[in-house]
């Protein structure tokens, strides 16, 4: 059994940035579970499905297979054998993933993949329900959050830096909607596990957050 670190939290809290850095320092494998939900979302979009059409999504699940591979330590996500790691970052894919991840069959499909990865390796896995559902026995659980305005500002700066024209208010609204969906769905909603450590990064630098998480890992090792 590997040593497991779970990082959950809302969209834009910096989970993947932080988890990648912690993985680099500890030698753990970084597992991005959002990428798995996004890969399935690509399939549903390719099929022209409505994110709220539960029965169509359940049916489409049957022809989709998601797998993960690592190239030089970087996670690549495959949909039916095809690398969709770039495609999954599109905004429309994130929005579809937020909707389709409410469907229990979608979650079931990815749960085994997540648990198998954690069984074999020391992993730092990020998502929404890792500490509460996927890896309830993880040695370290972190709930990483930040205020909506901080998260919207970070996203705005990130897109602006890439010369992508965007609107702060729209991003803010999008984050609020995504939080609501992720936190209020029936199956495995986003919430802080009872034994998770709360880290609010609103007024912390990336280095400070990484240092704090590594301290918790060292305390448990
Ligand atoms: O972290 P992300 O933005 O890549 O995730 C995309 C969507 O996938 C997110 O809105 C909710 C869903 N998700 C989930 O339900 N459970 C996870 N463990 C990871 C992601």
């Amino acid at each position: 059994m590997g040593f497991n670190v779970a990082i959950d939290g809302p969209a834009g809290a910096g989970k993947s940035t932080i988890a990648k850095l912690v993985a680099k320092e500890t030698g753990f494998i970084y597992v991005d579970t959002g990428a798995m939900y996004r890969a399935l979302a690509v399939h549903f979009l390719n099929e022209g499905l409505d994110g709220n059409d539960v029965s169509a999504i359940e049916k489409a699940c049957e022809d989709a297979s998601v797998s993960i591979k690592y190239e030089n330590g970087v996670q690549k996500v495959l949909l039916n054998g095809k690398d969709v790691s770039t495609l999954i970052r599109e905004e429309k894919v994130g929005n579809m993933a937020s909707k389709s991840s409410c469907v229990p069959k979608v979650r079931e499909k990815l749960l085994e993949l997540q648990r198998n990865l954690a069984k074999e390796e020391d992993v730092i896995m990020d998502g929404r329900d890792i500490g509460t559902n996927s890896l309830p026995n993880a040695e370290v659980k972190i709930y990483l959050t930040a205020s909506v305005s901080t998260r919207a500002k970070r996203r705005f700066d990130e897109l602006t830096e890439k010369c992508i024209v965007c609107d702060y208010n729209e991003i803010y609204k999008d984050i609020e909607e995504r939080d609501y969906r992720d936190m209020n769905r029936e199956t495995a909603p986003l919430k802080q596990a009872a034994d998770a450590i709360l880290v609010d990064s609103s007024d912390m630098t990336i280095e400070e957050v990484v240092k704090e998480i590594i301290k918790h890992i060292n305390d448990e090792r």
Side-chain angles (χ1 to χ4, degrees), residues 94-215:
N95 284 328
M96 170 58 103
S98 170
K99 291 179 186 162
S100 53
S101 61
C102 298
V103 177
K105 199 156 175 201
V106 168
R107 307 202 68 81
E108 258 166 48
K109 204 172 170 80
L110 299 177
L111 191 60
E112 202 187 331
L113 175 60
Q114 294 164 11
R115 287 189 175 154
N116 283 342
L117 284 165
K119 211 184 280 172
E120 288 157 18
E121 310 279 355
D122 291 342
V123 296
I124 174 154
M125 188 177 283
D126 81 357
R128 302 292 190 285
D129 63 333
I130 309 306
T132 51
N133 187 49
S134 303
L135 307 178
N137 298 320
E139 280 79 3
V140 176
K141 295 182 188 177
I142 305 288
Y143 189 83
L144 182 64
T145 190
S147 65
V148 177
S149 54
T150 303
R151 289 185 279 137
K153 166 96 174 46
R154 286 179 189 160
R155 184 77 186 132
F156 178 83
D157 290 345
E158 200 179 288
L159 291 171
T160 308
E161 211 166 280
K162 289 185 194 157
C163 300
I164 298 171
V165 180
C166 56
D167 178 64
Y168 173 83
N169 293 325
E170 232 169 72
I171 294 175
Y172 188 101
K173 200 172 128 259
D174 204 53
I175 287 182
E176 273 190 324
E177 280 173 12
R178 205 161 323 164
D179 282 0
Y180 184 84
R181 265 200 305 268
D182 291 351
M183 291 173 184
N184 291 284
R185 65 176 177 228
E186 252 172 58
T187 313
L190 167 65
K191 63 170 187 238
Q192 186 181 342
D195 51 352
I197 299 153
L198 175 68
V199 178
D200 185 332
S201 72
S202 303
D203 298 313
M204 292 171 84
T205 63
I206 291 175
E207 292 71 27
E208 284 170 337
V209 178
V210 169
K211 205 167 154 202
E212 175 160 354
I213 295 177
I214 288 183
K215 180 188 158 300

Side-chain angles (χ1 to χ4, degrees), residues 20-75:
K20 275 183 206 157
L21 290 168
V22 173
K24 210 170 176 185
E25 277 209 30
T26 54
F28 287 14
I29 289 176
Y30 167 53
V31 183
D32 171 4
T33 64
M36 301 173 185
Y37 287 94
R38 284 170 181 262
L40 280 182
V42 168
H43 178 65
F44 304 141
L45 285 168
N46 287 345
E47 297 285 303
L49 303 185
D50 176 339
N52 300 311
D53 187 344
V54 175
S55 60
I57 286 180
E58 282 179 345
K59 188 153 189 308
C61 269
E62 288 161 18
D63 327 311
S65 135
V66 173
S67 54
I68 294 291
K69 68 172 181 183
Y70 287 88
E71 268 175 19
N72 304 322
V74 177
Q75 175 180 302

